[in-house]
Amino acid sequence: MSRRRVSPFVLLGLLFSALPAASHSFENTAIVRTVDLGGSLVYVTTTFAARALEQDASIYTIALGNEEEEKTSWLDIKVKGQQESLAASTSYDPQSQMHLLDVVLPKALNLNSTINIVLETVQTHVTWAWPQTAAQGDGQALKYKTNLLVPSPYKTHVQRTKVKSQSPNIISHTTPKHLDAFTQEGGPVTKSGATITYGPYYDIPSSTDEDFLTSVQQSVVVHYSYDYPVLEVLKLRRAAEISHWGANLNIQDEISLHNAGPTLKGHFSRLEHQTQSYFKRPAAHVLPSLTLHLPAGIRNTYYYDLIGNVSTSHLRVAPSAKKATRAQYSVFEMKPRYPLMGGWNYSWTLGWDSPLENSASWDAAAGKHIIEIPIMTPIVGAVVNDLELSVILPEGATDVSCVVPFPTSSNIIQSTHTTYLDTAGRPALSFKYRDLTDKHAMSIYVTYRVPLSAHLKKPVAVAAAFFSLFTFALFARRIDLTISKKGRNVS
């Protein structure tokens, strides 16, 4: 499994990679999977009710298929009712083409003891618009595809899958076939309001072997209405610049937003758009405005696109974070220069300043500054396809180190950034990520030292520049640049 896709706590399980997976130490009394359908993001919660078949069973194995693993951007494993995530090591079975997560339980289970393990995942790029084009006033419908049965290396007594849509208008859904051996009563699928339930299915054997996957496992597709724009951030470039002299943290985002809904059929009509807005019936696939939650206590906020400053925006600033609770944030309501239709892009730049004390602290024991840099500002319901975060430290910073909440998609790059009044340039760190969701809206912590000589370097450089200028002016005044001395005779 790609290391960028797992929870930071799951990564701790790499320490346990030498432990053998107990493939026959459990059985599943029940598996319940809930799929919450969305636009760019789909949230999946799977609960495994497991019973230990041997004494001191301590490792439970979860299986993910190739396609599911590829589309999973966030993964977290917990014991039901507990907040602490469980560690897990990953491996790949080429025969069944399954990615196996060997989960280390908090404590070994006795024979016949039970435990409920909850797997939470966020899937990206798993829905697609159908039909693929829509007129300006048409609705919007998406399709979602997944495997019918949850794969598991253990025998399962009963399992079911619930697919939930935000709208009860579910256009169609797949009816499974050839499952008579696993059903006892009723049909293999039922629909109630906005929820489709597949199952229950009984006495399912180990479902990770090749024969089962070929003969029993099958895909199901749900076609449903979706009443919100499907948003993707194609590129996000965030630059965070730290200034000790100004006691300021400047953050600037360059954002390229894409509406991944059905492509607009025909021409855009401003009159039709204004009519829909007046009667408050905008088309589901049209994005007229966007609301972002920015940090508290920010100032000097600016927002512009390729043409220039955009005045159709409003900012409500919350008090400084030192005086506010974590739940407080500034609300930025932005209205693009044009409504974002299906298949259209919009690029803009958003930046702000904030007091450095809200993000920085001093470690007296280590003699280091600690700065907290948020990786991104999440856009509700949007996936960030490509993100690059640059952290620009003060000039002269040394002994630089960082702690990331989850692995980057490539190596961390350290470079030198030069701006005005700099002499040797400032150290900068570059972090790259892919397929980020709202679950990834965490912070990077960077530590560094700034010696006294580095603090004095800038004022000394400025003083030297002014002294050089005044010295040049002093000598320049004494130079006679007159070409001819005629007219200077004294009578």
Side-chain angles (χ1 to χ4, degrees), residues 291-361:
T291 300
L292 300 179
H293 292 166
L294 305 182
I298 61 176
R299 56 180 185 263
N300 302 329
T301 306
Y302 52 93
Y303 162 54
Y304 59 89
D305 58 14
L306 298 177
I307 298 177
N309 184 53
V310 179
S311 59
T312 53
S313 59
H314 181 65
L315 175 65
R316 299 193 299 273
V317 179
S320 177
K322 287 294 184 181
K323 302 177 183 178
T325 63
R326 289 183 177 270
Q328 289 181 301
Y329 47 79
S330 302
V331 178
F332 179 67
E333 298 172 349
M334 54 164 287
K335 194 172 184 179
R337 198 174 294 272
Y338 50 85
L340 197 61
M341 311 298 292
W344 290 13
N345 298 334
Y346 183 67
S347 299
W348 80 92
T349 298
L350 172 66
W352 64 86
D353 294 326
S354 61
L356 188 60
E357 63 178 2
N358 292 352
S359 304
S361 59

Side-chain angles (χ1 to χ4, degrees), residues 137-154:
D138 292 347
Q140 175 180 248
L142 306 178
K143 282 189 175 184
Y144 171 77
K145 179 181 178 182
T146 187
N147 287 329
L148 172 64
L149 300 174
V150 178
S152 177
Y154 312 113

Side-chain angles (χ1 to χ4, degrees), residues 64-126:
L64 296 176
N66 263 340
E67 186 175 357
E68 184 180 4
E69 190 275 339
E70 178 64 26
K71 300 298 184 180
T72 298
S73 293
W74 174 262
L75 184 151
D76 194 19
I77 307 171
K78 297 179 181 178
V79 175
K80 186 175 182 179
Q82 299 183 8
Q83 296 299 320
E84 184 177 357
S85 298
L86 300 179
S89 60
T90 63
S91 59
Y92 180 71
D93 182 8
Q95 183 175 0
S96 62
Q97 297 183 347
M98 286 286 172
H99 297 262
L100 303 178
L101 302 177
D102 294 332
V103 183
V104 181
L105 303 182
K107 61 179 180 179
L109 299 181
N110 296 325
L111 179 64
N112 292 326
S113 296
T114 59
I115 189 172
N116 290 334
I117 300 174
V118 179
L119 169 67
E120 295 183 355
T121 62
V122 181
Q123 299 177 352
T124 58
H125 306 293
V126 289

Side-chain angles (χ1 to χ4, degrees), residues 128-136 138-141 261-266 285 342-343:
W128 66 95
W130 194 265
Q132 297 178 336
T133 61
Q136 191 168 334
D138 292 347
Q140 175 180 248
T263 305
L264 177 64
K265 182 192 302 181
H285 56 88

Side-chain angles (χ1 to χ4, degrees), residues 90-375:
T90 63
S91 59
Y92 180 71
D93 182 8
Q95 183 175 0
S96 62
Q97 297 183 347
M98 286 286 172
H99 297 262
L100 303 178
L101 302 177
D102 294 332
V103 183
V104 181
L105 303 182
K107 61 179 180 179
L109 299 181
N110 296 325
L111 179 64
N112 292 326
S113 296
T114 59
I115 189 172
N116 290 334
I117 300 174
V118 179
L119 169 67
E120 295 183 355
T121 62
V122 181
Q123 299 177 352
T124 58
H125 306 293
V126 289
T127 63
W128 66 95
W130 194 265
Q132 297 178 336
T133 61
Q136 191 168 334
D138 292 347
Q140 175 180 248
L142 306 178
K143 282 189 175 184
Y144 171 77
K145 179 181 178 182
T146 187
N147 287 329
L148 172 64
L149 300 174
V150 178
S152 177
Y154 312 113
K155 177 183 177 181
T156 302
H157 289 287
V158 59
Q159 79 161 259
R160 59 168 53 88
T161 295
K162 295 182 179 181
V163 182
K164 296 182 178 180
S165 171
Q166 297 183 19
S167 169
N169 184 16
I170 297 178
I171 301 171
S172 65
H173 56 83
T174 302
T175 300
K177 300 178 180 179
H178 311 301
L179 291 174
D180 295 340
F182 306 108
T183 58
Q184 295 182 358
E185 57 183 13
V189 57
T190 57
K191 179 181 179 298
S192 176
T195 302
I196 298 175
T197 303
Y198 288 95
Y201 303 112
Y202 298 93
D203 298 328
I204 302 173
S206 174
S207 53
T208 56
D209 60 83
E210 188 175 1
D211 292 338
F212 184 91
L213 295 174
T214 303
S215 59
V216 179
Q217 184 66 283
Q218 53 191 286
S219 298
V220 293
V221 178
V222 178
H223 190 197
Y224 61 101
S225 294
Y226 189 66
D227 298 331
Y228 305 94
V230 182
L231 301 180
E232 295 182 4
V233 178
L234 301 180
K235 291 183 180 180
L236 172 58
R237 299 291 182 265
R238 165 164 287 194
E241 185 171 344
I242 304 163
S243 172
H244 282 269
W245 274 102
N248 183 72
L249 172 64
N250 174 263
I251 290 183
Q252 177 173 294
D253 290 341
E254 297 178 6
I255 305 170
S256 178
L257 186 65
H258 174 67
N259 187 336
T263 305
L264 177 64
K265 182 192 302 181
H267 298 286
F268 170 71
S269 171
R270 174 66 67 173
L271 176 60
E272 184 176 353
H273 174 69
Q274 293 294 346
T275 302
Q276 292 173 347
S277 300
Y278 179 79
F279 290 104
K280 297 183 179 180
R281 292 196 300 265
H285 56 88
V286 179
L287 177 69
S289 61
L290 195 63
T291 300
L292 300 179
H293 292 166
L294 305 182
I298 61 176
R299 56 180 185 263
N300 302 329
T301 306
Y302 52 93
Y303 162 54
Y304 59 89
D305 58 14
L306 298 177
I307 298 177
N309 184 53
V310 179
S311 59
T312 53
S313 59
H314 181 65
L315 175 65
R316 299 193 299 273
V317 179
S320 177
K322 287 294 184 181
K323 302 177 183 178
T325 63
R326 289 183 177 270
Q328 289 181 301
Y329 47 79
S330 302
V331 178
F332 179 67
E333 298 172 349
M334 54 164 287
K335 194 172 184 179
R337 198 174 294 272
Y338 50 85
L340 197 61
M341 311 298 292
W344 290 13
N345 298 334
Y346 183 67
S347 299
W348 80 92
T349 298
L350 172 66
W352 64 86
D353 294 326
S354 61
L356 188 60
E357 63 178 2
N358 292 352
S359 304
S361 59
W362 170 254
D363 186 353
K368 285 187 172 184
H369 297 277
I370 304 175
I371 186 76
E372 177 185 1
I373 305 295
I375 293 178

